[in-house]
Amino acid sequence: QSTWGLFKLNRGVMAGQMPVTVSSFPPPPPFYKEDGYENRPPPPPISGTFSMFGRLYTTEDILPTLADQQRQQLFPDDPNLSYKDELKKLNRSVVHSIVELLDILTKSPSKYKEKVEDIELLFLNMHHLLNSLRPHQARSNVISMLQAQIDRRTQLCLQIDESIRDSEKLIKEAHAAAMFPDDTISTADPMDI
Protein backbone atom coordinates (compact mmCIF):
# COMPACT_ATOMS: atom_id res chain seq x y z
CA GLN A 1 0.00 0.00 0.00
CA SER A 2 1.39 3.38 -0.96
CA THR A 3 2.03 6.04 1.63
CA TRP A 4 0.38 8.72 -0.51
CA GLY A 5 -2.91 9.78 0.98
CA LEU A 6 -2.14 8.22 4.35
CA PHE A 7 -1.88 10.03 7.60
CA LYS A 8 -1.23 8.98 11.19
CA LEU A 9 -3.63 9.45 14.03
CA ASN A 10 -1.59 10.28 17.11
CA ARG A 11 -4.50 10.75 19.50
CA GLY A 12 -4.70 8.16 22.22
CA VAL A 13 -1.32 6.63 21.40
CA MET A 14 0.20 5.37 24.63
CA ALA A 15 3.82 4.50 25.21
CA GLY A 16 4.64 1.28 23.46
CA GLN A 17 1.61 1.36 21.13
CA MET A 18 1.89 1.80 17.39
CA PRO A 19 0.09 4.78 15.85
CA VAL A 20 -2.94 3.93 13.71
CA THR A 21 -2.55 4.57 9.97
CA VAL A 22 -5.76 5.49 8.13
CA SER A 23 -6.22 5.96 4.38
CA SER A 24 -7.83 9.20 3.22
CA PHE A 25 -9.38 7.16 0.37
CA PRO A 26 -10.64 3.87 1.82
CA PRO A 27 -10.77 0.74 -0.35
CA PRO A 28 -14.05 -0.19 -2.06
CA PRO A 29 -16.54 -2.27 -0.10
CA PRO A 30 -16.07 -6.07 -0.11
CA PHE A 31 -19.07 -6.75 -2.38
CA TYR A 32 -17.34 -4.76 -5.13
CA LYS A 33 -14.70 -7.47 -5.54
CA GLU A 34 -16.88 -10.42 -4.53
CA ASP A 35 -19.60 -9.74 -7.12
CA GLY A 36 -17.12 -9.10 -9.93
CA TYR A 37 -18.02 -5.44 -10.36
CA GLU A 38 -14.42 -4.55 -11.14
CA ASN A 39 -14.39 -6.75 -14.27
CA ARG A 40 -17.84 -5.74 -15.49
CA PRO A 41 -18.09 -3.26 -18.37
CA PRO A 42 -19.82 0.01 -17.54
CA PRO A 43 -23.53 0.20 -18.38
CA PRO A 44 -24.48 1.85 -21.68
CA PRO A 45 -25.38 5.54 -21.54
CA ILE A 46 -28.99 6.35 -20.81
CA SER A 47 -31.07 7.59 -23.73
CA GLY A 48 -34.58 9.00 -23.66
CA THR A 49 -36.17 10.04 -20.39
CA PHE A 50 -35.15 9.17 -16.85
CA SER A 51 -36.28 10.06 -13.35
CA MET A 52 -33.98 11.72 -10.85
CA PHE A 53 -35.01 13.11 -7.47
CA GLY A 54 -38.68 12.72 -8.41
CA ARG A 55 -38.48 14.75 -11.65
CA LEU A 56 -38.43 13.51 -15.23
CA TYR A 57 -35.46 14.51 -17.36
CA THR A 58 -34.58 13.84 -20.97
CA THR A 59 -31.21 13.24 -22.57
CA GLU A 60 -32.26 15.17 -25.66
CA ASP A 61 -31.04 18.74 -25.65
CA ILE A 62 -34.31 20.60 -26.31
CA LEU A 63 -35.27 24.01 -24.98
CA PRO A 64 -38.81 23.76 -23.58
CA THR A 65 -41.15 26.45 -24.79
CA LEU A 66 -42.77 28.90 -22.42
CA ALA A 67 -46.12 27.23 -23.19
CA ASP A 68 -44.66 23.91 -21.94
CA GLN A 69 -43.83 25.70 -18.69
CA GLN A 70 -47.36 27.20 -18.51
CA ARG A 71 -46.01 30.72 -18.95
CA GLN A 72 -47.16 33.50 -21.26
CA GLN A 73 -44.86 34.31 -24.16
CA LEU A 74 -44.42 38.08 -24.59
CA PHE A 75 -42.56 38.01 -27.92
CA PRO A 76 -43.79 36.82 -31.35
CA ASP A 77 -43.13 33.32 -32.72
CA ASP A 78 -41.25 34.55 -35.77
CA PRO A 79 -38.33 32.57 -37.25
CA ASN A 80 -36.73 35.90 -38.27
CA LEU A 81 -37.09 37.32 -34.78
CA SER A 82 -34.55 39.98 -33.85
CA TYR A 83 -33.37 38.80 -30.44
CA LYS A 84 -31.54 42.04 -29.81
CA ASP A 85 -34.66 44.17 -30.36
CA GLU A 86 -36.89 41.88 -28.31
CA LEU A 87 -34.42 41.80 -25.43
CA LYS A 88 -34.22 45.60 -25.50
CA LYS A 89 -38.03 45.83 -25.38
CA LEU A 90 -38.22 43.38 -22.49
CA ASN A 91 -35.44 45.22 -20.65
CA ARG A 92 -37.29 48.53 -21.01
CA SER A 93 -40.45 46.85 -19.74
CA VAL A 94 -38.55 45.49 -16.72
CA VAL A 95 -37.19 48.93 -15.87
CA HIS A 96 -40.64 50.48 -16.27
CA SER A 97 -42.23 47.74 -14.14
CA ILE A 98 -39.66 48.20 -11.38
CA VAL A 99 -40.38 51.94 -11.30
CA GLU A 100 -44.11 51.15 -11.10
CA LEU A 101 -43.40 48.66 -8.31
CA LEU A 102 -41.55 51.33 -6.34
CA ASP A 103 -44.49 53.67 -6.88
CA ILE A 104 -46.93 51.00 -5.67
CA LEU A 105 -44.76 50.26 -2.61
CA THR A 106 -44.78 53.92 -1.62
CA LYS A 107 -48.54 54.41 -2.10
CA SER A 108 -50.13 51.07 -1.18
CA PRO A 109 -47.61 48.36 -0.20
CA SER A 110 -50.24 45.60 -0.03
CA LYS A 111 -50.80 45.64 -3.83
CA TYR A 112 -47.23 44.73 -4.80
CA LYS A 113 -47.87 41.06 -5.62
CA GLU A 114 -49.31 41.56 -9.12
CA LYS A 115 -46.43 43.81 -10.20
CA VAL A 116 -43.85 41.33 -8.87
CA GLU A 117 -45.52 38.58 -10.94
CA ASP A 118 -45.33 40.84 -14.02
CA ILE A 119 -41.61 41.41 -13.42
CA GLU A 120 -41.09 37.66 -12.95
CA LEU A 121 -42.83 36.98 -16.28
CA LEU A 122 -40.65 39.58 -18.03
CA PHE A 123 -37.48 38.01 -16.60
CA LEU A 124 -38.63 34.50 -17.60
CA ASN A 125 -39.18 35.69 -21.18
CA MET A 126 -35.75 37.34 -21.25
CA HIS A 127 -34.20 34.18 -19.82
CA HIS A 128 -35.94 32.06 -22.47
CA LEU A 129 -34.69 34.30 -25.29
CA LEU A 130 -31.14 34.17 -23.94
CA ASN A 131 -31.29 30.37 -23.59
CA SER A 132 -32.44 30.05 -27.20
CA LEU A 133 -29.19 31.80 -28.20
CA ARG A 134 -27.01 29.20 -26.40
CA PRO A 135 -26.42 27.00 -29.50
CA HIS A 136 -25.22 30.06 -31.41
CA GLN A 137 -22.93 30.97 -28.51
CA ALA A 138 -21.53 27.43 -28.42
CA ARG A 139 -20.82 27.52 -32.18
CA SER A 140 -19.12 30.90 -31.81
CA ASN A 141 -16.97 29.58 -28.94
CA VAL A 142 -15.91 26.55 -30.99
CA ILE A 143 -15.11 28.78 -33.99
CA SER A 144 -12.99 31.12 -31.87
CA MET A 145 -11.13 28.21 -30.23
CA LEU A 146 -10.42 26.64 -33.62
CA GLN A 147 -9.27 30.01 -34.98
CA ALA A 148 -6.91 30.40 -32.02
CA GLN A 149 -5.52 26.91 -32.69
CA ILE A 150 -5.03 27.75 -36.37
CA ASP A 151 -3.27 31.01 -35.49
CA ARG A 152 -1.00 29.24 -32.99
CA ARG A 153 -0.12 26.48 -35.46
CA THR A 154 0.52 29.02 -38.22
CA GLN A 155 2.88 30.89 -35.90
CA LEU A 156 4.67 27.64 -35.03
CA CYS A 157 5.00 26.78 -38.74
CA LEU A 158 6.52 30.20 -39.41
CA GLN A 159 8.99 29.67 -36.55
CA ILE A 160 9.89 26.22 -37.90
CA ASP A 161 10.39 27.67 -41.41
CA GLU A 162 12.67 30.35 -39.97
CA SER A 163 14.67 27.73 -38.05
CA ILE A 164 15.00 25.65 -41.22
CA ARG A 165 16.30 28.66 -43.19
CA ASP A 166 18.80 29.47 -40.42
CA SER A 167 19.93 25.83 -40.30
CA GLU A 168 20.34 25.67 -44.09
CA LYS A 169 22.36 28.91 -44.00
CA LEU A 170 24.64 27.49 -41.27
CA ILE A 171 25.08 24.23 -43.18
CA LYS A 172 26.01 26.12 -46.38
CA GLU A 173 28.51 28.26 -44.45
CA ALA A 174 30.02 25.18 -42.81
CA HIS A 175 30.20 23.41 -46.17
CA ALA A 176 31.88 26.43 -47.80
CA ALA A 177 34.34 26.70 -44.91
CA ALA A 178 35.19 23.01 -45.25
CA MET A 179 35.70 23.25 -49.03
CA PHE A 180 37.65 26.56 -49.01
CA PRO A 181 39.30 27.04 -45.63
CA ASP A 182 40.45 30.56 -44.81
CA ASP A 183 44.15 31.34 -44.59
CA THR A 184 43.69 32.35 -40.98
CA ILE A 185 42.71 28.85 -39.97
CA SER A 186 45.78 26.87 -38.98
CA THR A 187 46.10 23.47 -40.60
CA ALA A 188 48.97 22.47 -38.34
CA ASP A 189 48.62 19.65 -35.93
CA PRO A 190 47.65 21.04 -32.50
CA MET A 191 50.21 18.69 -30.89
CA ASP A 192 53.09 20.48 -32.69
CA ILE A 193 52.33 23.82 -31.07
Side-chain angles (χ1 to χ4, degrees), residues 8-13 19-20:
K8 295 180 180 180
L9 295 176
N10 292 324
R11 284 185 255 160
V13 176
V20 178

Side-chain angles (χ1 to χ4, degrees), residues 75-76 78-89 129 133:
F75 52 90
D78 184 15
N80 299 323
L81 179 70
S82 172
Y83 289 94
K84 184 177 177 181
D85 293 339
E86 289 301 320
L87 285 168
K88 282 182 178 180
K89 288 177 190 175
L129 279 174
L133 291 173

Side-chain angles (χ1 to χ4, degrees), residues 118-192:
D118 290 345
I119 294 172
E120 180 184 359
L121 180 63
L122 288 167
F123 275 122
L124 283 171
N125 275 267
M126 288 175 75
H127 193 259
H128 182 77
L129 279 174
L130 291 171
N131 279 340
S132 60
L133 291 173
R134 296 288 180 213
H136 176 70
Q137 180 188 17
R139 273 191 305 275
S140 295
N141 286 346
V142 168
I143 289 169
S144 65
M145 287 188 315
L146 291 174
Q147 188 62 47
Q149 287 180 6
I150 289 170
D151 294 344
R152 186 171 41 97
R153 289 178 181 172
T154 303
Q155 186 65 31
L156 287 174
C157 287
L158 292 173
Q159 290 175 353
I160 290 171
D161 287 343
E162 186 179 338
S163 296
I164 289 172
R165 282 192 300 275
D166 291 345
S167 299
E168 287 174 347
K169 181 181 173 186
L170 289 174
I171 289 173
K172 285 179 184 177
E173 289 174 1
H175 182 68
M179 296 294 286
F180 306 106
D182 290 345
D183 293 334
T184 58
I185 299 177
S186 173
T187 57
D189 188 10
M191 297 306 282
D192 293 341

